[in-house]
Amino acid sequence: AQSVAQPEDQVNVAEGNPLTVKCTYSVSGNPYLFWYVQYPNRGLQFLLKYITGDNLVKGSYGFEAEFNKSQTSFHLKKPSALVSDSALYFCAVRDASGGYSTLTFGKGTMLLVSP
Amino acid sequence: NAGVMQNPRHLVRRRGQEARLRCSPMKGHSHVYWYRQLPEEGLKFMVYLQKENIIDESGMPKERFSAEFPKEGPSILRIQQVVRGDSAAYFCASSPPSSASYEQYFGPGTRLTVT
């Protein structure tokens, strides 16, 4: 079965500093990877995805993620954090083990950006 | 193009009552997924439906929970005889019939409180 691990429950960073939110995965076959963001009392919003191609994927709001096959990682990054980036971030992997596609999510990482 | 709609946004039920959560997918989407989010536990898959068919209900408790997605109308997640442990945020997501990119689009969620 596919799985996703987000090793950090919370990441703290000062505004203007670079941020990284970590994600590692375990899949059989080619990995299809996603990042979503959840603001308080809201649903999840799609940020970016890796299907194939360049290992550096650019997404919404200035976020990007780096796919590393050898380390089975898909870390989310942003060069300069904003206070408004404070939210809950979920990494997800496509699961096609049943012959159809669903998403398996990590537990989420709370990002807190201080002014 | 309206996004995924869920109603009600907040639902309060007493123990033993029934809860009905509704989800209208995005226009043109025929795949619906339900997730439950509990504090400290992340997002847990419950059930995946296509029009008039349950494809995967492996994440849904065997008792008291049921889901449907009729030919006409919204998808319904039904919880009978609710207990305090059912208090959570329930999210619905949808995707088009054939999505090469596999991302899902989420609704704002229904927050169920059982008193």
Side-chain angles (χ1 to χ4, degrees), chain B:
Chain B
N1 186 11
V4 178
M5 309 288 284
Q6 288 189 251
N7 69 81
R9 294 291 307 274
H10 299 274
L11 182 61
V12 179
R13 285 288 178 265
R14 293 195 180 123
R15 279 180 299 170
Q17 291 184 320
E18 178 181 286
R20 280 187 178 235
L21 287 62
R22 293 175 182 77
C23 169
S24 296
M26 287 180 70
K27 187 176 181 180
H29 287 193
S30 57
H31 297 196
V32 165
Y33 312 81
W34 285 93
Y35 295 86
R36 178 163 63 177
Q37 185 177 32
L38 290 163
E40 312 297 326
E41 290 191 18
L43 209 63
K44 297 292 187 184
F45 167 78
M46 297 182 74
V47 61
Y48 163 41
L49 310 104
Q50 295 178 15
K51 283 284 187 179
E52 299 185 277
N53 285 304
I54 297 175
I55 307 301
D56 182 349
E57 55 183 349
S58 60
M60 200 156 65
K62 295 288 186 288
E63 297 180 354
R64 303 189 297 106
F65 285 72
S66 62
E68 63 177 12
F69 189 18
K71 186 176 180 181
E72 301 291 338
S75 175
I76 306 286
L77 179 66
R78 182 182 179 205
I79 311 173
Q80 295 178 288
Q81 299 176 316
V82 296
V83 301
R84 289 228 171 98
D86 296 332
S87 295
Y90 292 83
F91 290 96
C92 166
S94 72
S95 66
S98 56
S99 172
S101 54
Y102 306 107
E103 67 251 38
Q104 297 173 12
Y105 300 83
F106 281 78
T110 294
R111 279 153 183 82
L112 172 66
T113 302
V114 179
T115 61

